């Protein structure tokens, strides 16, 4: 790692001083192994280099970190950004007080890591993630796990690398920020900063000084919904993580390892994502926060809408006119627009409205939603009603990952996208709603159920509080014996709580003919399921849990209440439970059409499942799953998604069942009963099957298998092609590669009509079953994919559990057999975990 070898790549360095006085081979700096301008060190894997540099157009010397072996110069971190060395006398070393310091020729300290409790034998190390850390070597701390005193990843400048965490404290809103350079030749702190804002729905903001310059739109659990390009680059894993210790942070990983990529806040305020294909010699830009003038915050003022494809870019929303038409026509849009007609809501006090004068909602498609939305976790259908009952609510939107969002006051920073975006509904007076195609009348509320009281609190804090309140009330309930819904009435009106009933065992015995055999619907992994009829005529399904749950009574009840709160039209509704002695039973709504497998894998019934019905089922499963995955605190990983766990209502709408089981039975993988009951052969993701690691992506794997089953009408687990022992996944992959994907499709489906859609779904199925979890899309991406919102699907690689066909395999069936059974053996072993 001698610097000289790479010198030609760094012609921007001052060559004449090119004498490495204290040449160090390694990746560390200590008080004796220090570097002097123009020396440098590289990280152990050679990816990063740290040393002295001058920015383009400046003679000042700085210490920075940049990519090693990369033709163009990209400084990723600067130490003494506000305090340059004016000549080439700089030294980077460990000072007497144990800090990493930069000194000039007069031994003046220009920069210090400034850790107060450092030790004299500390050393600095540049790791292969680009993280420079000051480590405590002394005393006790073992060599492989030294204590970190300071790290450059915590002290970021303008670049955001993989594994960095851009965090914000959800309580105090104290933020870490990327800060721009002043100019390309001056690394000192410029006016732009980028940080995560949690006061509302989490959002990334760029500020110029203290004023907002750009916003990402709300985070919906997968993407920032104001960044339409984020949808198509699913392979770039941005994620927002709640560390459960008061901090929420943004991380980012770029899955494609043959590219270098990071995020950079440029001195002009643009956040960009440069990438370098390692074969090529120049950096490209994947994405930029400013693709047009519309991306500048509030470009068109309040109630103005920006469309980059129009000239002029700004216009007023329908029903609005420029506040200052003279300025507006001169292209000064800052004052925005005002309503032409007052809302009816403002004109009457008695609330009743005569037909024909009701306010309505104007639907705007593919929008960047305005700033400062308030969210409410309700279902999509309740969104318009929730907005219309409150006169202050001027617009609403719905995103499945957020819930209902609405806005009061001015609508600022509206943008019309040409791809992606969200539907936004803006409240207008009836007189402005002439085009019936676009209006959505306000449903006059017959009874005003609740008020729209949403505190402006953080996303995560709210959820935390909600859960805590729920738990507390539950504990109270358990001691008092009240039903939670009654008890919650007074102080918890904002938590929407379903009727939750504790049944008596006698009631259930009566309803099921004493749990008679002829009332038995089947047997699930958790125990038998019975059909029952309550005295009031209501039909119910009763799941009698096998006795060995790892949980105590109280935990079980707490968990029940949490699961009970989870409601979605694609999830089976839990009505209540019964806990007496050793007996634990769950009571669900009854589904007359039983489960998907009884249709799908029955040659006679399968005929009735046409493609539209199947697609509706697929879509419904996705939506139910998204609902389970979206909540970072209550997040539910199903862990046993399969055809028999998809129930069908009268209209064959799918409802996921058994979704709380993994939670109810405790997440501890070491518990014997958990090992026994969770997961089903053929649906388990490899990382789950082999290592017991589960995540949303393991559910996505199961979903992918299910999707291929729905398309083919064949069961993954019980099927063998005549000649080869291919699984359904193996067959799908083989046919896909032979460009014959449609041969997989159930012969009952006319491929001529739905060819493209079927191929798209097979493609998605293969993507969902990729070997590596990070190669699988998240469920929200799956929704966008199957609904063709993402047009270009990535090409799948070989899915998991497909017999790998090596060259020997092809010449004898015996060999091929061996490959298969090897695969089976692996799984059998796993199955026993
Ligand atoms: C340095 O600046 C000049 C002129 O501004 C530009 O042409 C050149 O590409 C820059 N070099 C680098 C390495 O950025
Ligand atoms: C170093 O830290 C001390 C207290 O921790 C602080 O007062 C001082 O301003 C810091 N100095 C620099 C240069 O950051
Ligand atoms: C930075 O590096 C240190 C030591 O190499 C390590 O302990 C720390 O976890 C790293 N930080 C990040 C964010 O990777
Ligand atoms: C030293 O190590 C021992 C055992 O590993 C530990 O109990 C003790 O707290 C350590 N002391 C310091 C100062 O880290
Ligand atoms: C940033 O703010 C400064 C000071 O308010 C202003 O002069 C400058 O024009 C702003 N920059 C941009 C790009 O808006
Ligand atoms: C880079 O080059 C190697 C060999 O020259 C080639 O195999 C590889 O596909 C290239 N990678 C990219 C991303 O172009
Ligand atoms: C734009 O219009 C507002 C009033 O609508 C005015 O105060 C402001 O000075 C104008 N800006 C420019 C640059 O003309
Ligand atoms: C109340 O509603 C009636 C029509 O239902 C309307 O005639 C009357 O003007 C309203 N009252 C007020 C104060 O607006
Ligand atoms: C939203 O509407 C639903 C159904 O009308 C209602 O149950 C719920 O309480 C409303 N939520 C709010 C916050 O008003
Ligand atoms: C109703 O009128 C008041 C003032 O008269 C105004 O401040 C408010 O924004 C109006 N509300 C709506 C929804 O237009
Ligand atoms: C309407 O919503 C706002 C914001 O959530 C709230 O402050 C206000 O009290 C609500 N008004 C009514 C009548 O519910």
């Amino acid at each position: 790692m001698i610097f000289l070898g790479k010198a030609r790549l760094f012609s921007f360095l001052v060559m004449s001083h090119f004498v490495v006085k204290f040449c160090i081979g390694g990746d560390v700096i200590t008080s004796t192994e220090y570097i002097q301008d123009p020396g440098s060190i590289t990280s152990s894997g050679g990816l990063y280099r740290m040393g002295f540099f001058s920015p383009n157009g400046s003679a000042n010397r700085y210490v920075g970190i940049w990519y090693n072996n990369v033709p163009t110069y990209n400084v990723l971190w600067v130490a003494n950004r506000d305090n340059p060395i004016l000549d080439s006398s700089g030294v980077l070393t460990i000072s007497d007080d144990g800090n990493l310091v930069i000194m000039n020729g007069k031994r003046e300290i220009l920069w210090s890591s400034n850790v107060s409790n450092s030790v004299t034998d500390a050393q600095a190390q540049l790791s292969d993630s680009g993280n420079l850390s000051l480590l405590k070597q002394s005393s006790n701390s073992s060599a492989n796990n030294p204590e970190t005193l300071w790290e450059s990843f915590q002290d970021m400048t303008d670049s955001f690398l993989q594994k960095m965490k851009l965090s914000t404290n959800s309580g105090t809103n104290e933020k870490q920020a990327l800060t721009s350079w002043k100019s390309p030749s001056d690394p000192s702190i410029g006016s732009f900063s980028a940080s995560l804002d949690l006061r509302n729905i989490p959002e990334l903001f760029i500020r110029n000084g203290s004023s907002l310059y750009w916003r990402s739109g709300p985070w919906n659990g997968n993407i920032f919904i104001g960044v339409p390009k984020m949808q198509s680059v699913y392979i770039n894993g941005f994620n927002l993580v709640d560390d459960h210790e008061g901090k929420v942070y943004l991380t980012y990983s770029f899955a494609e390892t043959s590219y270098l990529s990071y995020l950079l806040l440029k001195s002009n305020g643009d956040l960009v994502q440069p990438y370098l294909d390692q074969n090529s010699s120049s950096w490209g830009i994947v994405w930029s926060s400013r693709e047009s003038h519309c991306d500048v915050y509030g470009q068109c003022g309040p109630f103005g809408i920006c469309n980059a494809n129009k000239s002029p870019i700004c216009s007023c929303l329908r029903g609005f006119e420029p506040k200052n038409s003279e300025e507006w026509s001169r292209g000064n849009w800052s004052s925005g627009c005002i309503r032409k007609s007052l809302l009816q809501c403002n004109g009457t006090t008695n609330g009743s409205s005569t037909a024909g004068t009701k306010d309505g909602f104007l639907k705007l498609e593919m929008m960047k939603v305005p700033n400062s939305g308030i969210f409410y976790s309700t279902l999509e259908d309740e969104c318009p009603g929730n907005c219309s009952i409150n006169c202050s609510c001027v617009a609403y939107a719905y995103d499945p990952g957020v819930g209902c969002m609405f806005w009061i006051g001015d609508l600022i920073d509206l943008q019309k996208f040409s791809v992606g975006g969200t539907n936004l509904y803006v409240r207008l007076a009836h007189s402005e709603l002439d085009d019936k195609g676009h209006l959505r009348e306000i449903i006059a509320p017959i009874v005003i159920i609740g008020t729209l009281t949403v505190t402006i609190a953080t996303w995560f804090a709210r959820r935390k509080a909600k859960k805590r309140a729920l738990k507390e009330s539950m504990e109270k309930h358990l001691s008092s014996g009240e039903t939670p819904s009654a008890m919650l009435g007074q102080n918890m009106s904002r938590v929407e709580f379903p009727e939750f009933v504790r049944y008596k065992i006698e009631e259930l015995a009566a309803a099921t003919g004493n749990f008679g055999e002829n009332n038995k619907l089947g047997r699930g992994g958790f125990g038998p399921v019975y059909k029952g009829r309550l005295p009031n005529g209501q039909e119910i399904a009763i799941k009698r849990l096998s006795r060995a749950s790892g949980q105590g009574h109280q935990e079980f009840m707490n968990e029940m209440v949490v699961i009970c709160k989870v409601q979605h039209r694609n999830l089976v509704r839990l009505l209540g439970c019964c806990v007496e002695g050793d007996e634990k039973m769950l009571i669900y709504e009854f589904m007359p059409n039983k489960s998907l497998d009884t249709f799908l894998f029955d040659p006679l019934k399968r005929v009735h499942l046409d493609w539209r019905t199947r697609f509706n089922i697929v879509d419904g499963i996705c939506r139910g799953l998204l609902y389970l995955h979206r909540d970072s605190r209550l997040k539910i990983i199903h862990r046993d998604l399969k055809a028999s766990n998809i129930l069908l209502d009268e209209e064959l709408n799918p409802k996921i069942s058994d979704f709380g089981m993994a939670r109810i039975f405790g997440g501890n993988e070491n518990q014997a009963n958990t090992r026994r009951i969770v997961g089903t052969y053929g649906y388990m993701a490899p990382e789950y099957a082999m290592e017991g690691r589960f995540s949303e992506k393991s559910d996505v794997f199961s979903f992918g298998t299910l999707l291929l089953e729905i398309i083919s009408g064949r069961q993954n687990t019980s099927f063998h092609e005549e000649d080869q022992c291919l699984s359904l996944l193996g067959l799908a992959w083989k046919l896909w590669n032979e460009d014959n994907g449609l041969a997989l499709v159930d012969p009952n489906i006319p491929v001529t009509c739905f060819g493209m859609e079927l191929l798209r779904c097979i493609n998605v199925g293969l993507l969902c079953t990729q070997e590596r979890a990070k190669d699988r899309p998240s469920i929200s991406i799956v929704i966008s994919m199957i609904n063709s919102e993402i047009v270009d699907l990535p090409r799948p690689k070989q899915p998991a559990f497909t017999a790998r066909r090596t060259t020997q395999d092809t010449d004898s069936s015996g060999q091929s057999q061996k490959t298969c059974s090897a695969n089976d053996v692996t799984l059998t072993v796993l199955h026993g975990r």
Side-chain angles (χ1 to χ4, degrees), residues 465-477 480 482-500 561-562 564-565:
K466 243 183 177 178
K467 198 180 173 192
R468 197 185 323 114
L470 204 62
K471 208 162 181 163
E472 278 165 12
S473 60
M474 192 56 221
E475 277 154 16
K476 231 164 79 190
H477 153 60
S480 70
E482 266 179 297
T483 69
S485 44
M487 173 202 56
L488 286 170
Q490 305 131 16
N491 49 5
M492 293 206 44
S493 52
R494 294 214 332 269
V495 178
E496 284 140 53
F497 212 77
E499 273 314 308
F500 172 80
V561 172
V562 171
C564 206
K565 196 175 95 64

Side-chain angles (χ1 to χ4, degrees), residues 21-47:
K21 287 191 187 153
F22 298 88
C23 175
I24 313 166
D27 56 355
V28 294
I29 287 178
T30 66
S31 54
T32 51
E33 295 173 280
Y34 53 92
I35 53 174
Q36 182 163 8
D37 196 357
S40 66
I41 58 171
T42 52
S43 61
S44 61
L47 193 54

Side-chain angles (χ1 to χ4, degrees), residues 675-688:
R675 264 183 277 152
R676 186 157 42 79
I677 55 183
V678 171
T680 300
Y681 171 77
Y683 291 91
M684 274 191 285
E687 75 277 9
Y688 180 34

Side-chain angles (χ1 to χ4, degrees), residues 344 347-354:
Q344 191 256 2
T348 121
T349 48
N350 59 13
S352 67
S353 42
T354 45

